[in-house]
């Protein structure tokens, strides 16, 4: 299997503190509305056994990236290590990738007239370091590495998460560990909408 | 208001509708190339339709670039024919535009060039078909389950046929050629209209049923039942909620883009059958085009609105 | 003038519009053919300044990134023991709060009902002139001060000196009353001094953590990170007592979702299980604790079944929690506002200390009875005598302490007040007309005190309200007669002390905006104008700190071994820092002796007090209040941080779906919440994490002030408000 770098999000350990998001924003200084990393909140089950879980997601650096396939100007490229990079200088702002990506990853900035997205901090990765969001995670809920490695070493490394669109569409590299308590990945659960709008 | 225009993708509403009218009109004219036996009438009609078609399609293409963040670089979108439906769509409509210009030019030549012209007409029509296919494929993507349904292509094709036929109809009424077998032509028009409206109706109902499924799947407020493929339900629920939140748009679509053309088609058939007043038929055609255009416009707006980001 | 401005504004606007259009078309830094630079918007600071975070009581080490005289970034100090480089989202983005456009740049004076710009001289003359007039006419007790847990220690010390040795008023308090007062009284009455026992390192050392009334994930995310990592690495067990399914509750091995206000009963029952199971250390109790027979007798009726009935949780779970806690070799209790902000604040603190003392583990690594603070320098205030005590943690009513201070300060003993009045009494006395002037420093009582309508009534009645704050938009300024623009922590020097007694340095990284001055400077100016110049002879915070240090000699919070340089060198030092303990003291009471007269910790036999208000037919919902991770206190800082405000833009109310269905309320609907005292509007968030018939509203929002609803009731001992339980009704707006 070729190398495919990606994130691993442990929903047991994630407390929704959004330090990952802030670290990303603080370094790349994209406009406030453009969130390369987004922590989503979901609820499962009913009081008193309800679970609110957080899902910290950025680009899933898919094995079959729909953004890249759909892009009419070839602004996307996939590196040998699997990271999917978007080059804004090539982008014409057609926003088609914001439709083809099921995960809402590429986001359009009307001021710059182009789309932008998480690039996996590939410059850091090239230096053998971790992406900034991962470095900032105080609970170690968010980690980064080869998805095969995640599948070998993590407590759990599945491709499905609550509300997370069908992974068979683009084969995201992100892997998840579900909360220890409560529903398991194979269990159907009713899920209320993201509470992020509060 | 600004938000609404953005969410409704008004640039794309205008582009898809106008380009589809032109494609439909070309289909009708192409058929006319082989059916109409009156060269003078045919020529006037062909000239007028293509004269209208060129600027309308040009306008549509120009308008589509207003959707872009950087319209000046629009030409770059031709680069990814191999992978991207956007590139394919732009190729298809660019070729269509080129062929349409050629076709319009050929109408100025005398009838001796008719064979070439017919060939170009067929090619232009085929480019139109490809245009509608690429345009629909662009939206039929798993990333937006609300659009990822056969009703998308059905609605796009039916819109082209319905509006194209009505546009040609209106132009025909303007020519008022004495020798023209208007009643026969109007009967063809009515048949196209009825067929297209029926297809549109099927598309409309299929889409409503499709989106409504989401509600059963979802269970709780917004949000869907859960994981993997089931999340399609979440997306459909988002779409369904938007349909519910905009009852005016959906009823306009049903009324003006389905009911009106069906009734108008039947009325037209009746008028022609009973050798009724041509004036009445003309008026009917004019007002039907207006109403159907408004109906498809409402439909297109709700189409884009339902394709809201859902995750 | 106006025309000119308009024209300039117009030109500027059109320039922006043109530039915007041009970038839209061509793309500016992302123009076609431009080199692809993923870091195109990144701002790299020229230098990083060592400091301490200005938010919660965790007290993370930070470095402030400065570029061109502006704060442009904040990062965690990598080798700082508290946070090892980690910061929460607010912490990372707080440079935006420093650079906010509504920072006060000049003093303001109220003239004809409007706050207008004034010079420092004018403003200070107006303030001190009126103060002198009031003191002459009505005596010093007609003046009150109300400060914060967010100034620097040197400023608390200076303020304490001015208000006690200068003005000589009994009416001094700070917002630590709303936060830590119950913990302070708990420490004082049990241990003989306000000494938090534990250290954050206990989180990693311990085997089981009992988290009571603390949503650590939202309020102390960095500590929650340490806890989560410890759980993963060591399998540390977690017991959470909270009426909501907070993130800690979700993770917990045992979650006891007790009825609000029944903590004391639960904790007593847990102690009783320990006694029954023999999980206590009789030798330790005999040697180090007093009042054991009384406690033991009192606890006999606290059977698990009795507690189960009171608390609404199964008896087996209470027993399981107690056994898990008692059998662990090391066990740690941590609590915050769920315990302190209650009529049962002090009693619950005692109950928690009891639970830890009787096991004889207290003071051992991994075993502490640990009240975590909410503000970055509440402990600085408590150490330096900024509100309800004298420096060196000398109780206000202790004659010997006052004599020591009088000698140190060179003032007559008789001058020093022997009383300190909690803020609620100050408010009542303002309404009664006894207090005429209030000086508010670095806090926002209009939004943060309970029963907002009462507070409004009081503020409107004042002859003089001085608001000294970093932002002129601070809500309380609505009622101010004088506004003094203060520097923020990142613009001044001094020390802060966190929950684990760690003293750390704050350094000026940039200049304050406009004419704003540090609170230290403002205090000295006021003192000089009031004629107390001799009290503030120290010119710099460092000199002030040297003077303060002398007051701690031989005291529980000794800091004589601290210099600013040593703080940076050691990455903070935990007091006491004395000759005997030059590198600080990680844990207190390790030898089983305490600061009480008999050197023993007192086991207070406490029982649960009734809540001031319970839901009834007219007001059927129990309202809980609290914080969200994205915002801090009254939002004066965090609501200037665009990213945070985008995540939680406005006030909301959490409602259980069952109640929402009954009331016909959907997600996102506006609802009206009413109590006997007032009403507010909020957006509905339908959630399963709260029990039916209970609602939760965060406290940060002036457009939906939850304190319009809260009850005017206080802990009878600590005077801390009861924020967490009141009865309300709800309807769709």
């Amino acid at each position: 299997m070729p190398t495919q770098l990606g994130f691993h999000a442990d929903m047991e350990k994630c407390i929704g503190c959004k330090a990952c998001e802030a670290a990303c924003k603080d370094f790349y200084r994209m406009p406030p509305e453009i969130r390369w990393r987004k922590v989503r909140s979901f609820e499962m089950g009913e009081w008193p056994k309800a679970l609110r879980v957080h899902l910290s997601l950025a680009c899933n650096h898919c094995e079959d990236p729909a953004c890249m396939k759909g892009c009419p100007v070839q602004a996307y490229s996939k590196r040998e290590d699997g990271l999917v990079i978007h080059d804004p200088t090539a982008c014409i702002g057609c926003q088609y990738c914001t439709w083809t990506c099921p995960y809402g990853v590429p986001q359009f900035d009307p001021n710059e007239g182009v789309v932008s997205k998480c690039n996996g901090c590939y410059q850091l990765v090239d230096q053998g370091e971790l992406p900034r969001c991962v470095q900032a995670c105080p609970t170690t809920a968010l980690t980064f590495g080869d998805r095969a490695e995640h599948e070998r070493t993590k407590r759990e490394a599945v491709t499905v998460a609550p509300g997370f669109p069908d992974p068979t569409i683009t084969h995201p590299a992100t892997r998840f560990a579900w909360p220890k308590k409560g529903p398991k990945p194979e269990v159907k659960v009713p899920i209320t909408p993201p509470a992020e709008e509060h | 208001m600004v938000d609404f225009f953005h969410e409704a993708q008004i640039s794309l509403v205008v582009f898809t509708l106008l380009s589809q009218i032109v494609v439909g009109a070309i289909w009708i004219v192409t058929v006319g190339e082989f059916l109409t036996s009156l060269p003078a009438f045919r020529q006037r009609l062909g000239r007028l339709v293509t004269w209208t078609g060129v600027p309308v399609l040009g306008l549509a293409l120009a308008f589509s670039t207003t959707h872009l963040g950087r319209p000046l670089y629009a030409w770059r979108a031709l680069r990814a024919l191999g992978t991207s439906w956007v590139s394919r769509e732009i190729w298809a409509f660019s070729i269509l535009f080129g062929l349409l210009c050629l076709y319009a030019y050929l109408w100025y030549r005398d009838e001796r060039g008719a064979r070439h012209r017919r060939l170009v007409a067929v090619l232009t029509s085929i480019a139109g078909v490809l245009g509608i296919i690429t345009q629909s494929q662009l939206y039929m993507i798993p990333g937006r389950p609300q659009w990822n349904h056969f009703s998308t292509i059905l609605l796009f094709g039916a819109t082209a046929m319905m509006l194209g036929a009505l546009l040609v109809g209106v132009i025909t009424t303007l020519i008022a050629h004495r020798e023209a077998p208007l009643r026969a032509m109007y009967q063809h028009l009515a048949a196209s209209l009825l067929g297209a409206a029926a297809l549109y109706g099927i598309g409309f109902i299929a889409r409503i049923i499709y989106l409504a499924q989401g509600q059963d799947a979802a269970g709780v407020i917004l949000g869907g039942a859960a994981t993997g493929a089931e999340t399609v339900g979440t997306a459909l629920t988002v779409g369904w909620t938007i349909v519910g939140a905009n009852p005016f748009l959906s009823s306009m679509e049903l009324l003006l883009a389905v009911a009106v053309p069906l009734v108008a088609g039947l009325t037209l058939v009746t008028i022609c059958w009973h050798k009724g007043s041509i004036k009445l038929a003309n008026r009917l055609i004019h007002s039907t085009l207006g109403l159907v255009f408004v109906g498809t416009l409402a439909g297109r707006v709700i189409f884009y609105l339902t394709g809201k980001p859902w995750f | 003038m106006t025309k000119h401005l308009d024209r300039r504004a117009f030109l500027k606007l059109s320039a922006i519009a043109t530039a915007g259009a041009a970038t839209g078309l061509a793309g500016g830094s992302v123009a076609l053919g431009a080199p692809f630079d993923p870091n195109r918007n990144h701002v790299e600071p020229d230098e990083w300044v060592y400091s301490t975070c200005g938010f919660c009581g965790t007290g993370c080490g930070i470095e402030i990134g400065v570029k061109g005289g502006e704060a442009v970034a904040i990062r965690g100090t990598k080798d700082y023991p508290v946070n090892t480089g980690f910061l929460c989202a607010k912490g990372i983005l707080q440079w935006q709060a420093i650079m906010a456009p509504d920072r006060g740049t000049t003093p303001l004076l109220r003239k004809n009902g409007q706050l207008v710009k004034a010079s420092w001289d004018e403003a200070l003359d107006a303030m001190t002139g009126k103060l002198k007039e009031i003191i002459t006419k009505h005596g010093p007790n007609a003046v009150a001060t109300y400060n914060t847990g967010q100034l620097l220690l040197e400023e608390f010390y200076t303020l304490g000196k001015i208000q006690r040795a200068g003005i000589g008023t009994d009416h001094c308090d700070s917002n630590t009353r709303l936060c830590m007062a119950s913990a302070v009284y708990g420490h004082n009455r049990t241990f003989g001094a306000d000494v938090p026992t534990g250290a954050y390192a206990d989180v990693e050392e311990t085997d089981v953590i009992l988290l009571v009334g603390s949503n650590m994930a939202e309020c102390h995310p960095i500590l929650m990170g340490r806890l989560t990592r410890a759980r993963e690495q060591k399998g540390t067990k977690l017991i959470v007592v909270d009426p909501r399914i907070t993130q800690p509750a979700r993770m917990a091995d045992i979650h006891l979702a007790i009825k609000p206000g029944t903590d004391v009963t639960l904790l007593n029952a847990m102690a009783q299980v320990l006694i029954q199971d023999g999980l206590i250390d009789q030798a330790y109790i005999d040697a180090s604790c007093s009042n054991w027979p009384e406690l033991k007798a009192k606890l006999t009726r606290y059977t698990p079944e009795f507690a189960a009935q009171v608390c609404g949780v199964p008896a087996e779970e209470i027993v399981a929690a107690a056994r898990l806690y008692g059998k662990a070799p090391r066990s740690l209790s941590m609590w915050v506002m769920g315990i302190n902000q209650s009529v049962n604040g002090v009693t619950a603190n005692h109950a928690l200390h009891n639970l830890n003392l009787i096991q004889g583990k207290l003071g051992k690594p991994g075993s502490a009875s640990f009240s975590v603070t909410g503000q970055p320098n509440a402990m600085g205030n408590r150490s330096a005598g900024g509100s309800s005590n004298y420096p060196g943690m000398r109780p206000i009513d202790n004659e010997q302490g006052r004599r020591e201070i009088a000698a140190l300060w060179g003032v007559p003993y008789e001058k020093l007040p022997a009383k300190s009045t909690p803020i609620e009494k100050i408010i009542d006395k303002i309404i009664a007309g006894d207090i005429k002037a209030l000086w508010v420093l670095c806090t926002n009582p209009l939004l943060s005190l309970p029963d907002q309508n009462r507070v409004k009534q009081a503020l409107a009645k004042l002859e003089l309200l001085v608001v000294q704050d970093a932002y002129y938009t601070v809500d309380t300024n609505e009622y101010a007669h004088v506004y003094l623009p203060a520097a923020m922590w990142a613009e001044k020097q001094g020390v802060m002390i966190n929950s684990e007694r760690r003293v750390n340095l704050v350094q000026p990284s940039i200049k304050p905006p406009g004419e704003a001055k540090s609170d230290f400077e403002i205090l000295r100016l006021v003192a000089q104008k009031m004629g107390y110049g001799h009290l503030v002879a120290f010119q710099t915070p460092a000199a002030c700190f040297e003077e303060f240090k002398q007051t701690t000699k031989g005291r529980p919070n000794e800091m004589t071994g601290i210099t600013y340089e040593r703080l940076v060198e050691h990455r903070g030092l935990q007091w006491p820092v004395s000759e005997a303990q030059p590198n600080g003291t990680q844990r207190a009471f390790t030898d089983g002796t305490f600061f009480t007269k008999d050197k023993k910790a007192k086991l207070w036999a406490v029982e649960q007090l009734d809540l001031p208000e319970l839901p009834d037919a007219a007001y059927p919902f129990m309202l809980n209040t609290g914080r969200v991770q994205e915002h801090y206190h009254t939002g004066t800082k965090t609501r200037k941080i665009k990213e945070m405000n985008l995540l939680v833009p406005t006030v909301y109310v959490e409602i259980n779906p069952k109640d929402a269905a009954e009331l016909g309320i959907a997600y996102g609907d506006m609802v009206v919440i009413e109590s006997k005292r007032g009403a507010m509007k909020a957006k509905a968030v339908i959630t399963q994490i709260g029990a039916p018939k209970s609602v939760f509203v965060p406290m940060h929002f002036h457009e939906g002030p939850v304190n319009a609803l809260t009850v005017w009731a206080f802990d009878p001992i600590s005077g801390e408000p009861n924020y967490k339980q009141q009865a309300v009704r709800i309807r769709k707006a």
Side-chain angles (χ1 to χ4, degrees), chain C residues 593-662:
Chain C
T593 62
F594 297 88
F595 290 106
T596 46
K597 278 202 185 111
D598 58 3
K599 304 279 179 225
K600 288 182 173 184
K602 183 165 181 185
L603 300 167
W604 290 81
V606 289
E607 288 194 283
Q608 179 182 316
L609 306 178
D610 288 341
L611 289 177
E613 192 173 79
L614 285 170
D616 54 20
Y619 297 91
F621 288 88
M622 179 70 98
L623 167 71
N624 187 0
T625 69
R627 275 195 43 207
V628 297
Q629 181 281 125
E630 289 81 356
H631 290 295
Y632 185 69
H633 288 191
T634 59
T636 54
K637 289 202 278 184
T638 46
R639 297 195 78 192
K640 317 289 158 58
I641 303 174
K642 292 183 216 106
E643 285 80 2
M644 296 289 102
N645 219 28
L646 200 72
L647 288 171
V648 183
T650 190
V651 64
Y652 65 91
V653 50
E654 288 184 359
I655 306 173
N656 185 283
K658 271 189 192 154
D659 299 323
E662 260 174 46

Side-chain angles (χ1 to χ4, degrees), chain A residues 13-14 18 27 29 43 138, chain C residues 72 229 232 630 687-688:
Chain A
K13 290 195 275 178
C14 183
K18 305 175 184 80
F27 185 84
R29 297 285 156 104
E43 268 181 38
Chain C
V72 295
R229 294 200 300 273
E232 166 142 85
E630 289 81 356
T687 170
Q688 295 277 8

Side-chain angles (χ1 to χ4, degrees), chain C residues 370-432:
Chain C
F370 198 168
S371 168
V372 180
T373 63
Q375 295 188 83
N377 205 16
M379 288 285 292
N381 193 334
R382 284 148 69 179
S383 287
S387 41
S388 52
N389 62 2
Y390 281 103
M393 292 193 162
R394 289 173 174 87
I396 195 103
D397 52 0
N398 181 293
E399 186 186 324
Q400 195 201 332
R402 286 202 305 279
R403 288 198 184 277
E404 287 165 10
I405 287 294
L408 281 164
W409 284 353
V411 296
Y413 161 75
E414 298 72 30
K415 173 83 184 170
L416 297 183
K419 270 205 305 198
S420 172
T421 317
I423 183 63
E424 60 269 19
K425 297 265 165 57
I426 292 179
I427 293 292
D428 281 342
K429 284 185 175 190
I430 296 172
I431 293 172

Side-chain angles (χ1 to χ4, degrees), chain A residues 11-193:
Chain A
M11 291 179 265
E12 170 66 25
K13 290 195 275 178
C14 183
I15 57 170
C17 81
K18 305 175 184 80
C20 48
E21 219 183 302
C24 175
K25 296 230 70 136
D26 201 55
F27 185 84
Y28 291 104
R29 297 285 156 104
M30 300 308 288
E33 302 75 24
I34 308 289
R35 295 163 68 191
W36 286 1
R37 182 164 281 285
K38 216 183 240 181
V39 179
R40 295 156 197 272
S41 308
F42 295 91
E43 268 181 38
M44 308 188 279
E46 281 177 36
W47 170 271
K49 293 287 166 206
L51 292 185
R52 174 176 285 188
V53 297
H54 302 285
L55 204 51
S56 173
L57 290 169
C59 179
N60 299 302
H61 300 285
C62 299
E63 294 181 50
D64 187 13
C67 55
M68 187 163 98
K69 265 207 282 186
C71 178
V73 295
Q74 297 168 328
Y76 285 90
S77 55
K78 192 165 171 65
R79 301 186 353 143
E80 264 181 28
D81 61 9
L83 293 182
V84 177
I85 311 290
H86 174 262
D87 176 358
T89 65
C91 179
I92 60 171
C94 79
Q95 305 154 59
Y96 190 49
C97 51
T98 68
W99 296 349
T100 52
C101 172
Y103 311 101
V105 168
Q107 288 160 65
F108 180 64
D109 174 7
N111 291 318
E112 278 196 325
V114 295
V115 153
S116 66
K117 76 164 194 73
C118 154
N119 58 43
C121 291
Y122 69 93
Q123 291 165 318
L124 281 188
V125 172
D126 285 345
Q127 293 164 33
E129 287 184 57
L130 293 167
R132 288 178 178 85
C133 49
V134 173
Q135 287 191 33
C137 177
T139 65
T140 67
L142 187 65
T143 47
F144 179 82
D146 188 47
R147 53 113 172 70
E149 184 70 17
H150 286 149
E151 280 162 5
R152 259 199 312 279
T153 59
K154 296 289 185 187
R155 173 175 67 84
E156 187 174 67
V158 297
T159 57
V160 289
F164 188 70
D166 192 350
T168 62
I169 304 171
T170 61
H171 301 283
T174 312
R175 294 292 181 271
F176 305 97
W178 280 55
K180 287 181 189 166
K181 277 194 238 174
K184 285 290 155 221
E186 64 273 13
V187 179
K188 262 195 191 181
V189 286
I191 289 167
T192 45

Side-chain angles (χ1 to χ4, degrees), chain C residues 108-180:
Chain C
L108 303 173
L109 263 182
R110 192 167 296 277
K111 285 180 185 163
N112 301 324
Q114 294 291 314
L115 280 177
V116 294
K117 283 185 182 177
S119 72
W120 272 104
D121 260 339
E122 278 179 90
L124 290 174
D125 284 344
M127 171 188 175
T128 53
K130 187 77 190 171
L131 279 178
K132 283 181 205 163
E133 181 195 316
I134 291 171
I135 293 171
T136 317
K137 239 203 250 168
H138 307 282
N141 274 339
V143 174
T145 64
Y146 183 56
N147 66 95
T148 175
Q150 297 178 49
L151 293 175
L152 305 179
L153 180 138
E154 295 77 356
E155 294 165 343
F156 289 128
Y157 178 76
T158 311
L159 176 64
K161 217 173 163 183
I162 293 171
Q163 60 198 6
R164 300 235 153 79
I167 301 170
T169 172
D170 293 344
H171 300 140
C172 311
D173 202 17
S174 74
N175 65 13
T176 53
R177 178 75 57 192
L178 321 180
C179 168
M180 300 311 300

Side-chain angles (χ1 to χ4, degrees), chain C residues 507-520:
Chain C
Q507 297 195 94
S509 57
I510 57 167
K511 286 199 174 66
E515 296 171 27
K517 291 179 190 296
S518 77
D519 296 273
F520 181 74

Side-chain angles (χ1 to χ4, degrees), chain B residues 5-89:
Chain B
F5 274 124
H6 179 75
E7 275 175 35
Q9 304 280 1
I10 232 59
S11 304
L12 298 177
V13 169
V14 172
F15 166 64
T16 54
L17 268 188
L18 293 187
S19 59
Q20 284 162 18
I21 295 178
V22 174
V23 167
I26 291 161
W27 288 347
I28 303 289
V29 170
T30 306
V31 174
E33 287 268 17
F34 298 95
L35 289 186
T36 315
S37 51
L38 289 169
F41 173 74
R42 191 163 60 199
Q43 191 166 36
R44 283 192 74 181
L45 185 66
R47 280 182 182 174
L48 268 177
V49 171
T50 51
W51 285 2
T52 321
V54 169
V56 169
L57 187 58
L59 184 75
L61 283 169
F63 214 86
S64 75
T65 66
T66 64
H67 163 73
L68 300 180
R70 304 203 287 177
L72 293 183
Y73 298 155
W75 52 273
R76 289 172 56 87
L78 295 165
R79 290 159 70 104
L81 183 64
T83 54
S84 170
W85 282 110
V86 179
S87 280
R88 289 170 194 159
E89 182 202 27

